[in-house]
Amino acid sequence: MDIPIEWTVALSHVQAICPDAIIGGGCLRDLDNDRDIKDIDIFVRGASALELHGLQMRLSTGPFDCDDIDPEKIYPVGE
């Protein structure tokens, strides 16, 4: 599967802050099945929603338009 260059660029910026970040979720399924992509899910380790919000704030100072990031869709998960 060929990952779009924009995705790899976005992922590299996230990995500069969270090295273990990966792309996952429905975007990969939709890409593999030649469907329209609604959003891109990037999974990172974070102990709390506050830490993940801090990541969002740090990314918004870079080359990303983070206005489309929905804070209701930042989900902390277990270890």
Side-chain angles (χ1 to χ4, degrees), residues 17-40:
I17 298 168
C18 297
D20 61 345
I22 60 169
I23 293 175
C27 62
L28 294 176
R29 177 200 60 230
D30 292 343
L31 181 66
D32 191 44
N33 290 303
D34 200 27
R35 296 182 187 156
D36 290 339
I37 309 299
K38 298 177 187 131
D39 61 11
I40 300 168

Side-chain angles (χ1 to χ4, degrees), residues 42-58:
I42 298 179
F43 295 87
V44 300
R45 290 183 189 265
S48 70
L50 183 61
E51 287 177 324
L52 294 176
H53 179 70
L55 172 63
Q56 175 187 347
M57 297 306 293
R58 290 174 68 186

